[in-house]
Amino acid sequence: MKTRNEIYRGEAEALLHVITSYHALIYEQVLKTFPRKEDSLKTLIKRLIKQGRIYYDSRQNLLCDTTESANAPDWEMISAYWVLLDFKKALVYHTSGDFPVKIHFFSNDEAYEIISVPAEQVVLINHVLAQTKDTDTNRLVIISSKEQAMRIQIPNVAAFCMVEPDGNVSYYQKKER
């Protein structure tokens, strides 16, 4: 029979891995990451907060790896994580990325990148990603308006996404002319 520490250790390691990988996530995002264990997860979160291993910002409802992450959360990463959660059932692996990619993940036999493109960075992102034409990675591009999609000229866009603050994600494809 496993002890309580043995049971919680695996859950704690997975939870800490997610929070330290993405630095700040909305409390509900973390619960949706581990949906079958919500009651034990809430208990575990309280324990980790009490131990000082994670930080909870009640003003923003964020679970963070540090108080600095709570003071300056990466809202683009939080939006990208909502997109990732839409693929939860088929996820094989996921990790945070480097600019301009927010998240890399594998779903079934496909590789994906989630990229957030603020309206003021369209030209920069187009330039940076135009150099990567030989990739088989599907790109999910977060935009703030449907019109913005027309200005984005990067290869391998599987879909454009608009993310609501409540986590609802809408997907669009650009119509070719």
Side-chain angles (χ1 to χ4, degrees):
M1 180 176 279
K2 290 186 177 183
T3 66
R4 189 171 87 166
N5 277 344
E6 289 172 329
I7 293 168
Y8 277 132
R9 186 176 60 227
E11 290 177 358
E13 288 172 3
L15 173 64
L16 288 170
H17 175 73
V18 166
I19 293 175
T20 56
S21 293
Y22 301 104
H23 306 294
L25 294 172
I26 295 172
Y27 191 94
E28 182 161 335
Q29 289 178 308
V30 175
L31 294 180
K32 287 182 181 228
T33 302
F34 307 96
R36 286 185 232 133
K37 305 172 183 179
E38 188 169 313
D39 290 335
S40 65
L41 187 64
K42 286 180 179 179
T43 302
L44 178 60
I45 288 169
K46 287 178 188 173
R47 197 157 126 235
L48 292 172
I49 291 168
K50 193 173 188 176
Q51 292 172 355
R53 296 182 74 188
I54 60 175
Y55 176 78
Y56 177 65
D57 182 331
S58 60
R59 282 181 307 113
Q60 302 178 89
N61 196 30
L62 294 175
L63 288 169
C64 308
D65 58 350
T66 64
T67 55
E68 291 79 19
S69 296
N71 291 332
D74 183 346
W75 292 105
E76 291 177 7
M77 179 65 81
I78 291 168
S79 290
Y81 202 83
W82 282 121
V83 174
L84 178 72
L85 286 172
D86 278 353
F87 291 81
K88 176 75 177 117
K89 289 183 180 173
L91 273 180
V92 175
Y93 176 78
H94 61 93
T95 188
S96 60
D98 293 319
F99 178 83
V101 176
K102 289 294 178 181
I103 298 175
H104 296 279
F105 72 96
F106 293 93
S107 176
N108 296 328
D109 292 332
E110 300 283 327
Y112 290 87
E113 295 175 337
I114 303 173
I115 300 165
S116 182
V117 181
E120 68 277 3
Q121 290 187 351
V122 170
V123 173
L124 174 64
I125 303 287
N126 281 342
H127 180 71
V128 169
L129 294 176
Q131 316 304 319
T132 59
K133 293 182 187 201
D134 294 332
T135 182
D136 289 335
T137 301
N138 298 297
R139 293 183 169 135
L140 300 168
V141 180
I142 300 172
I143 54 175
S144 54
S145 71
K146 291 180 191 176
E147 296 76 30
Q148 184 182 355
M150 298 310 293
R151 297 181 20 233
I152 296 174
Q153 304 297 322
I154 59 177
N156 303 333
V157 174
F160 292 96
C161 313
M162 292 179 59
V163 182
E164 300 294 325
D166 67 358
N168 186 39
V169 182
S170 301
Y171 295 88
Y172 304 93
Q173 289 189 322
K174 192 184 323 185
K175 293 180 181 176
E176 298 300 322
R177 294 180 186 184

